[in-house]
Amino acid sequence: MCGNAQKKKSQMVLGIDMPKFVIPMFIVEAVLLVLFTVPPKRLKQDFISIPMLVLDVVNSFTDVISYIRLFAVGMSGAAIAEAFNDMLSPLFGSAVGIAGAAFLLLFVHGLNIALAVMGVAVHAVRLNTLEFSNGLGQEWSGFAFAPFAKQKN
């Protein structure tokens, strides 16, 4: 791999090099997770928790990826807005074109904003109620909703 390709690989997200402390920090984090997953007094009873740590780390990673999906939803709204701006910009040559483009842009951007708010809200509710509550051991249960059913006394 040439030097330029290696440099681009290390600058994959922000365009800056990863700080030197990140890898040692991950190692310290892994050691602390293993040390504090099971208290030393309960090591004999709960030794199975240590191998399960790998699955817990993967589960936490998937939760982070889910929040990255929220970022992608926001970015898609920005891409849609930019695409409509580019499509309607040729109409700005005349007064009629400006009026038509303004009406269409107002409608499209309003719809895009409404969809973006709904998309983020729905994803956030799903993340908080399903994925993170599972990590707490919380179970969602209840009873069937039947508002028009006869009440038994």
Side-chain angles (χ1 to χ4, degrees), residues 113-124:
I113 290 169
L115 288 174
V117 168
M118 285 184 354
V120 169
V122 167
H123 278 77

Side-chain angles (χ1 to χ4, degrees), residues 26-90:
F26 283 147
I27 293 169
V28 168
E29 177 186 5
V31 169
L32 290 174
L33 278 171
V34 169
L35 288 176
F36 292 107
T37 297
V38 179
K41 292 186 255 181
R42 299 193 42 95
L43 197 56
K44 287 184 181 177
Q45 296 92 3
D46 296 339
F47 70 93
I48 193 67
S49 296
I50 292 177
M52 296 300 286
L53 178 65
V54 175
L55 296 177
D56 290 340
V57 169
V58 170
N59 190 24
S60 296
F61 180 71
T62 59
D63 291 343
V64 170
I65 296 298
S66 293
Y67 273 109
I68 291 173
R69 185 176 52 220
L70 286 175
F71 175 74
V73 167
M75 290 300 295
S76 68
I80 290 170
E82 186 177 357
F84 270 101
N85 287 343
D86 290 345
M87 284 191 289
L88 294 175
S89 63

Side-chain angles (χ1 to χ4, degrees), residues 66-147:
S66 293
Y67 273 109
I68 291 173
R69 185 176 52 220
L70 286 175
F71 175 74
V73 167
M75 290 300 295
S76 68
I80 290 170
E82 186 177 357
F84 270 101
N85 287 343
D86 290 345
M87 284 191 289
L88 294 175
S89 63
L91 295 177
F92 288 122
S94 67
V96 174
I98 290 173
F103 174 75
L104 285 173
L105 285 173
L106 185 66
F107 174 74
V108 169
H109 288 314
L111 184 62
N112 189 19
I113 290 169
L115 288 174
V117 168
M118 285 184 354
V120 169
V122 167
H123 278 77
V125 167
R126 183 189 60 78
L127 279 173
N128 288 323
T129 56
L130 296 178
E131 293 181 14
F132 289 126
S133 63
N134 288 340
L136 296 173
Q138 182 178 1
E139 291 185 19
W140 293 92
S141 61
F143 55 90
F145 180 65

